[in-house]
Amino acid sequence: MTAPALLEVAWTYPVTGCRGYLVIDRLVRGVASGGLRMRRGCTLFEVRGLARGMTLKEGLNYDPDGRYVPLGGAKGGIDFDPYDERARDVVARYLHAMRPLIDRVTDPAKAGRAQSST
């Protein structure tokens, strides 16, 4: 049995009604690695599995004698057609909504970005 993810968020864009998801599976040293998937039919279950996969992939790269130190795993997903003319707007709105959550959970200084004062 695996532990639940650190953070799972569902989001709805009211203009299109599409759903988006953010899953932070694990943090290592305050940061996680992942990406964003956009496809019609994307689900929270899928994004949860992708986030867990990032955690496992990062762990496989660990070499105690090497310079690379693994990160935690995270993933975002949006249930929307990436070829739709509104896709760029949907991604921008999703990122705008998720940024404060990501900054609250992760350590921006360790991720190489500073928190804005606004």
Side-chain angles (χ1 to χ4, degrees), residues 14 32 47 70 83-85 116:
V47 176
Y83 299 104
D84 188 294
E85 63 186 20
S116 64

Side-chain angles (χ1 to χ4, degrees), residues 74-88:
K75 199 73 169 183
I78 303 172
D79 179 5
F80 195 74
D81 179 1
Y83 299 104
D84 188 294
E85 63 186 20
R86 301 167 295 173
R88 280 183 174 261

Side-chain angles (χ1 to χ4, degrees), residues 20-51:
Y21 310 97
L22 171 67
V23 177
I24 298 177
D25 183 59
R26 297 284 174 273
L27 296 178
V28 174
R29 298 178 339 234
V31 294
S33 173
L36 177 62
R37 172 172 289 192
M38 176 185 269
R39 71 170 191 85
R40 196 178 329 205
C42 185
T43 66
L44 177 59
F45 180 79
E46 174 183 6
V47 176
R48 186 183 297 133
L50 293 167

